[in-house]
């Protein structure tokens, strides 16, 4: 009797081994599994899972966010693409037609946006002329109302504040121009090779944190590194504090998001009549396939979701700023401005309803002196990355790089300004915390790019499932 049971147990065990792939030849992974099988479940340092983000973003947030970003207030972004690189002189400018940026003509931009004084979105219309006068004089005019004098001084102080995470772009420069983001979409331009990799290598090697005892390259894809080195690289990250680890994951997530955009809007075919843009599955696999990237690709995608959670959390924190009656999405068209503010608030309240927000309370929560030092290091590293964007040789890549870095920097500023936001007055100018129009446009467009990436991952997952 005992032998019979032993035989049956052994038979069942063999059947289980065969069914699970153990003890026999495993079924080959599909193309979709090689990119996405590890991109599921809970994210590191978070209590949120990938599936919850996919469902929330793709079906509740993405459609409305895209509609908002098509409005005049958010589609026009002022930027200086002619600033010299502050770090090196040997920049090879991309000569491809797709690298070019077409700026707006003066009559194409709504008058309300062009008004140089409309720099601070919470300013009521009746302060515009007074602020214009103050800017022209370069000082606070005693004839201005006391409230406006105080506001101008506070705004100037804010623009020079050490709390900003990005190098301020000189949008008042004669070289700064408005760009219609809808007419200059982020997509594959052909900008690649040593010049493009130099940008990312400098960002990873010189601006991300790593243990002081480690002298080898931080970039897991640096020349000469293999799989064992890649595993060592991630053991370094695990040895860092949560803030320094998060810094790398934010940069890696942004890098991944940009690569998703380039793969999703790839030049598939070009004739003298038209260009055909679409999903390039091969390009996506080269960047994210688990085998082709030696395990790095799926990690990049998980970092993209981490970045999504950080920017989503910032939007949930800044809701009171946009709810104030003095705030306007001012373009000069009162009807559309009111409609777009309503849509903006609908989106923000949807964001607040997200059930598994990132808990930023673990950031800088240790000894106060050490926490302040770490926060300052964090800010300076990120600020330096914003300066590196002026070294990008492709102007369209530079445009979207500057915008997305500024958007992420604005999100970080919001997360570290929780008390200031809570203390804002219910009406009237906000002196302690405010966002410029540049920050608002970059904040929502940057999140729109991350939201688009998450949506495109669903598209690529479906496309890859058809590959055998």
């Amino acid at each position: 009797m005992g032998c019979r049971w032993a035989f049956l147990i052994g038979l069942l065990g063999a059947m289980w081994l065969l069914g699970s792939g153990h003890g026999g030849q495993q079924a080959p992974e599909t193309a979709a599994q090689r990119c996405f099988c590890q991109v599921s479940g809970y994210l590191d340092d978070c209590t949120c899972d990938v599936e919850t983000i996919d469902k929330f973003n793709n079906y509740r947030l993405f459609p409305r966010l895209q509609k908002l970003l098509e409005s005049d207030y958010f589609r026009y972004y002022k930027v200086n693409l002619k600033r010299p690189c502050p770090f090196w002189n040997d920049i090879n400018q991309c000569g491809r037609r797709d690298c070019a940026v077409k700026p707006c003509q003066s009559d194409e931009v709504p008058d309300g946006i062009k008004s140089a004084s409309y720099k601070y979105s919470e300013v009521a219309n009746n302060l515009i002329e007074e602020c214009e006068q103050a800017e022209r004089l370069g000082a606070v005019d005693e004839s201005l109302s006391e409230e406006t004098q105080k506001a101008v001084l506070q705004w100037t102080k804010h623009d020079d504040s050490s709390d900003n995470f990005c190098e301020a772009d000189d949008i008042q420069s004669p070289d700064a121009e408005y760009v219609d983001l809808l007419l200059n979409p982020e997509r594959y331009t052909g900008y690649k090779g040593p010049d493009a990799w130099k940008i990312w290598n400098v960002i990873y090697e010189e601006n991300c944190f790593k243990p002081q005892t480690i002298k080898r390259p931080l970039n897991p894809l640096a020349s000469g590194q293999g799989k064992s080195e890649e595993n060592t690289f991630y053991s370094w990250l695990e040895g860092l504090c949560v803030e320094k680890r998060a810094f790398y994951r934010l940069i890696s997530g942004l890098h991944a998001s940009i690569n998703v955009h380039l793969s999703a809007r790839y030049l598939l075919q070009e004739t003298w009549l038209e260009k055909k843009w679409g999903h390039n599955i091969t390009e996506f696999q080269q960047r994210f396939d688990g085998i082709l990237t030696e395990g790095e690709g799926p990690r990049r995608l998980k970092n993209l979701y981490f970045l999504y959670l950080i920017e989503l959390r910032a939007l949930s924190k800044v809701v009171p700023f946009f709810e104030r009656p003095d705030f306007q999405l001012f373009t000069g068209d009162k009807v559309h401005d009111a409609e777009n503010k309503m849509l903006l608030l609908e989106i923000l309240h949807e964001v607040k309803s997200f059930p598994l927000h990132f808990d930023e309370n673990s950031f800088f929560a240790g000894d106060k002196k050490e926490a302040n030092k770490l926060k300052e290091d964090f800010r300076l590293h990120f600020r330096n990355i914003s300066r590196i964007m002026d070294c990008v040789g492709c102007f369209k890549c530079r445009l979207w790089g500057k915008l997305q870095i500024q958007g992420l920097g604005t999100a970080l500023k919001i997360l570290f300004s929780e008390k200031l936001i809570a203390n804002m007055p219910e009406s009237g100018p906000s002196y302690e915390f405010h966002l410029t129009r540049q920050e608002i446009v970059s904040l929502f467009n940057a999140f729109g790019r991350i939201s688009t990436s998450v949506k495109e991952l669903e598209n690529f997952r479906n496309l890859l499932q058809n590959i055998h």
Side-chain angles (χ1 to χ4, degrees):
M1 187 72 175
C3 291
R4 185 181 299 173
W5 279 110
F7 171 77
L8 290 173
I9 292 172
L11 180 62
L12 290 172
M15 292 173 64
W16 179 84
L17 287 170
L18 290 172
S20 62
H22 297 278
Q25 185 175 2
Q26 294 188 13
E29 284 186 314
T30 66
Q33 289 173 328
R34 284 167 53 174
C35 289
F36 292 105
C37 67
Q38 298 176 46
V39 188
S40 61
Y42 286 93
L43 299 168
D44 299 335
D45 299 325
C46 302
T47 58
C48 184
D49 60 278
V50 167
E51 292 76 14
T52 298
I53 296 175
D54 284 339
K55 185 177 179 180
F56 176 80
N57 178 76
N58 297 350
Y59 301 102
R60 294 174 60 181
L61 205 57
F62 176 79
R64 282 185 283 182
L65 182 59
Q66 294 307 303
K67 181 180 178 182
L68 180 72
L69 296 180
E70 291 172 359
S71 67
D72 283 353
Y73 186 89
F74 290 98
R75 69 185 290 181
Y76 294 107
Y77 180 66
K78 195 171 187 181
V79 62
N80 182 0
L81 296 177
K82 299 178 182 178
R83 292 180 63 174
C85 172
F87 300 108
W88 59 84
N89 296 320
D90 56 332
I91 299 179
N92 293 320
Q93 300 291 356
C94 174
R96 297 174 61 93
R97 189 168 41 181
D98 294 323
C99 286
V101 171
K102 182 183 179 182
C104 297
Q105 299 297 318
S106 180
D107 58 353
E108 294 175 334
V109 183
D111 291 336
I113 293 177
K114 285 188 296 185
S115 174
S117 67
Y118 206 79
K119 191 176 180 182
Y120 308 98
S121 298
E122 76 273 19
V123 182
N125 286 342
N126 61 351
L127 292 181
I128 289 180
E129 291 184 1
E130 292 183 272
C131 291
E132 260 183 351
Q133 184 182 356
E135 285 199 18
R136 285 196 302 268
L137 293 174
V140 178
D141 192 318
E142 294 182 358
S143 65
L144 302 181
S145 68
E146 183 178 346
E147 182 180 43
T148 306
Q149 289 184 44
K150 184 177 179 182
V152 171
L153 287 173
Q154 290 289 344
W155 294 331
T156 302
K157 180 181 177 182
H158 169 272
D159 285 346
D160 297 331
S161 172
S162 61
D163 290 335
N164 288 338
F165 281 77
C166 286
E167 184 83 9
D169 206 358
D170 51 345
I171 60 172
Q172 303 303 325
S173 166
D175 290 330
E177 298 177 290
Y178 282 100
V179 173
D180 187 337
L181 298 175
L182 299 183
L183 298 181
N184 295 274
E186 183 181 27
R187 59 191 178 193
Y188 183 80
T189 65
Y191 177 64
K192 57 184 178 180
D195 292 326
W197 273 107
K198 183 177 183 179
I199 299 295
W200 286 110
N201 284 335
V202 170
I203 289 174
Y204 283 119
E205 304 294 347
E206 299 182 19
N207 292 281
C208 286
F209 298 94
K210 59 183 175 182
Q212 293 182 355
T213 56
I214 300 297
K215 302 302 181 184
R216 287 175 290 176
L218 176 64
N219 186 349
L221 295 182
S223 175
Q225 287 187 290
K227 190 170 181 61
S228 62
E229 291 287 348
E230 178 234 342
N231 291 333
T232 302
F233 165 77
Y234 280 98
S235 70
W236 298 348
L237 286 183
E238 292 172 1
L240 295 175
C241 64
V242 64
E243 296 88 353
K244 293 181 179 180
R245 192 163 62 239
F247 189 97
Y248 166 79
R249 296 185 67 195
L250 290 175
I251 300 304
S252 173
L254 179 59
H255 193 179
S257 179
I258 291 172
N259 282 332
V260 171
H261 304 153
L262 305 187
S263 301
R265 302 193 72 167
Y266 199 92
L267 182 58
L268 301 178
Q269 185 179 354
E270 182 176 7
T271 67
W272 67 279
L273 282 175
E274 63 176 353
K275 293 182 177 181
K276 181 181 178 182
W277 303 86
H279 294 82
N280 187 322
I281 299 175
T282 301
E283 188 74 20
F284 182 85
Q285 288 178 292
Q286 289 177 348
R287 298 171 188 267
F288 299 110
D289 185 286
I291 294 177
L292 296 178
T293 62
E294 297 184 317
E296 171 70 10
R299 286 189 174 105
R300 296 172 184 163
L301 294 180
K302 295 190 80 169
N303 290 337
L304 189 159
Y305 281 99
F306 178 78
L307 172 62
Y308 182 95
L309 286 177
I310 292 293
E311 296 200 5
L312 189 76
R313 182 57 166 168
L315 290 176
S316 73
K317 290 284 187 180
V318 80
V319 173
F321 174 82
F322 293 106
E323 285 183 323
R324 300 165 70 250
D326 290 336
F327 173 80
Q328 302 175 51
L329 294 175
F330 185 73
T331 66
D333 187 328
K334 291 184 178 181
V335 174
H336 285 110
D337 290 347
E339 291 175 350
N340 288 324
K341 181 179 179 179
M342 187 178 301
L343 176 59
L344 173 70
L345 293 178
E346 287 178 6
I347 291 171
L348 290 175
H349 289 142
E350 188 73 64
V351 167
K352 284 195 72 173
S353 72
F354 184 70
L356 297 171
H357 271 296
F358 178 80
D359 182 8
E360 74 283 2
N361 290 324
S362 60
F363 280 8
F364 311 108
D367 176 78
K368 187 174 181 180
K369 184 177 180 180
E370 292 183 5
N372 288 338
K373 173 64 168 58
L374 183 57
K375 179 181 176 182
E376 178 65 6
D377 289 343
F378 199 94
R379 188 188 66 82
L380 291 176
H381 278 249
F382 195 86
R383 197 177 177 103
N384 207 43
I385 291 174
S386 73
R387 300 175 68 204
I388 294 174
M389 291 300 103
D390 287 317
C391 302
V392 177
C394 166
F395 284 111
K396 187 169 289 182
C397 306
R398 184 183 296 195
L399 163 67
W400 285 100
K402 288 167 77 77
L403 182 145
Q404 290 176 82
I405 287 292
Q406 185 180 31
L408 177 53
T410 303
L412 294 173
K413 185 179 89 168
I414 292 168
L415 289 178
F416 297 128
S417 302
E418 184 175 11
K419 292 182 179 179
L420 298 179
I421 295 172
N423 293 329
M424 286 190 307
E426 294 183 1
S427 62
S430 173
Y431 303 126
E432 298 300 325
F433 176 86
H434 74 281
L435 298 175
T436 68
R437 180 181 178 275
Q438 285 288 107
E439 289 174 315
I440 295 169
V441 173
S442 63
L443 173 68
F444 281 90
N445 272 285
F447 182 69
R449 295 281 76 208
I450 308 302
S451 174
T452 298
S453 292
V454 172
K455 177 64 176 175
E456 289 293 0
L457 290 184
E458 180 182 63
N459 296 332
F460 275 113
R461 189 182 287 110
N462 293 334
L463 290 169
L464 287 167
Q465 285 174 350
N466 296 323
I467 297 179
H468 300 286

